[in-house]
């Protein structure tokens, strides 16, 4: 995503860090502390900075993202097809709100890289808008080019050789721009609910 998108649709919000701390803790059960991980399209680093892992990489085509990465995160300024890490070296790849911005060729490049970089048994962790629940507001983002439901994304992963580990059809609200305060504890409680009101994003975890 280029800087124009960051300046308009996806502006920096320091308080978002509290929400992502709770989300990171929720996801931590799938990422051992000894893991080597990569976040694709790392944005403001809210996720990769707060996940605990032995080695952490953040990739993004926007060079300004480097300014938001914690010191322990190595920033990679490269497109999806040119991430220079060793084959079979990663335990997990994370991507939040990325696939919907990619065309078919870029999506192929992402999964080619995931297959190359992940160890056997390594996980890909995707947080995405679920078009099944957000069709009215989905195209308000002018950079959205593809739409996925929990079924189509699951099928895409299976078609690329991944084994599905977990599907949460309703994981998070569509946007953090809300009348509700951005709170660590509210997010913790929200993620504990058996049914999450206003949730329009999904979580899908798959294994190589």
């Amino acid at each position: 995503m280029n800087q124009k998108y960051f300046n308009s649709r996806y502006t920096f919000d320091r308080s978002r860090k509290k929400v992502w701390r709770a989300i990171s803790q929720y996801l931590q059960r799938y990422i051992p502390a000894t893991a080597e991980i990569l976040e694709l399209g790392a944005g403001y680093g809210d996720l990769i900075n707060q996940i605990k892992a032995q080695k952490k990489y953040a990739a993004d085509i926007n060079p300004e993202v480097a300014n938001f990465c914690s010191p322990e995160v190595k920033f990679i300024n490269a497109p999806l097809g040119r991430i220079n890490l060793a084959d079979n070296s990663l335990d997990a790849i994370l991507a939040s709100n990325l696939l919907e911005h990619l065309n078919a060729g870029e999506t192929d490049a992402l999964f080619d890289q995931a297959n190359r970089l992940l160890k056997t048994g390594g996980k890909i962790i995707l947080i995405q808008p679920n078009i099944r629940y957000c069709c009215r507001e989905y195209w308000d983002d002018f950079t959205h080019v593809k739409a996925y439901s929990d079924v189509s994304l699951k099928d895409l992963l299976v078609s690329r050789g991944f084994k599905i580990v977990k599907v949460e059809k309703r994981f998070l609200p569509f946007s953090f721009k809300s009348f509700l305060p951005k709170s660590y504890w509210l997010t913790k409680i929200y993620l504990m609910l058996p049914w999450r009101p206003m949730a329009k994003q999904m979580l899908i975890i798959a294994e190589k």
Side-chain angles (χ1 to χ4, degrees), residues 34-95:
T34 56
E36 189 166 336
I37 67 173
L38 164 70
E39 184 181 8
L40 298 171
Y44 293 111
D46 292 312
L47 177 57
I48 192 71
N49 286 347
Q50 300 188 83
I51 286 275
K52 292 181 172 55
Q54 190 167 51
K55 282 189 180 179
K56 302 196 288 186
Y57 302 95
D60 204 294
I61 58 171
N62 182 357
E64 299 298 321
V65 170
N67 299 322
F68 297 93
C69 290
S70 297
E72 74 274 16
V73 176
K74 183 176 180 182
F75 177 62
I76 301 168
N77 183 208
L80 292 168
R82 293 168 57 189
I83 295 173
N84 189 23
L85 294 174
D87 294 359
N88 304 306
S89 61
L90 297 178
D91 298 284
I93 292 175
L94 305 99

Side-chain angles (χ1 to χ4, degrees), residues 13-154:
D13 181 350
R14 190 179 302 278
S15 62
R16 208 162 36 211
K17 182 178 178 181
K18 292 179 279 189
V19 175
W20 279 104
R21 182 157 69 95
I23 298 168
S24 301
Q25 290 174 358
Y26 184 89
L27 297 175
Q28 195 69 60
R29 72 194 76 179
Y30 302 101
I31 302 173
T34 56
E36 189 166 336
I37 67 173
L38 164 70
E39 184 181 8
L40 298 171
Y44 293 111
D46 292 312
L47 177 57
I48 192 71
N49 286 347
Q50 300 188 83
I51 286 275
K52 292 181 172 55
Q54 190 167 51
K55 282 189 180 179
K56 302 196 288 186
Y57 302 95
D60 204 294
I61 58 171
N62 182 357
E64 299 298 321
V65 170
N67 299 322
F68 297 93
C69 290
S70 297
E72 74 274 16
V73 176
K74 183 176 180 182
F75 177 62
I76 301 168
N77 183 208
L80 292 168
R82 293 168 57 189
I83 295 173
N84 189 23
L85 294 174
D87 294 359
N88 304 306
S89 61
L90 297 178
D91 298 284
I93 292 175
L94 305 99
S96 170
N97 292 267
L98 177 64
L99 287 179
E100 68 270 31
H101 302 281
L102 306 181
N103 61 34
E106 292 166 332
T107 303
D108 283 343
L110 183 151
F111 284 106
D112 288 345
Q113 283 284 24
N115 273 310
R116 181 181 74 78
L117 293 171
L118 283 172
K119 300 174 182 174
T120 300
K123 292 181 176 60
I124 185 164
I125 299 174
L126 300 173
I127 299 172
Q128 283 285 135
N130 188 337
I131 191 66
R132 192 182 302 281
Y133 306 118
C134 57
C135 57
R136 293 182 64 181
E137 62 267 65
Y138 190 81
W139 301 108
D140 290 345
D141 187 322
F142 63 93
T143 63
H144 283 182
V145 296
K146 297 271 282 185
Y148 296 93
S149 72
D150 50 289
V151 174
S152 63
L153 184 54
K154 184 177 67 173

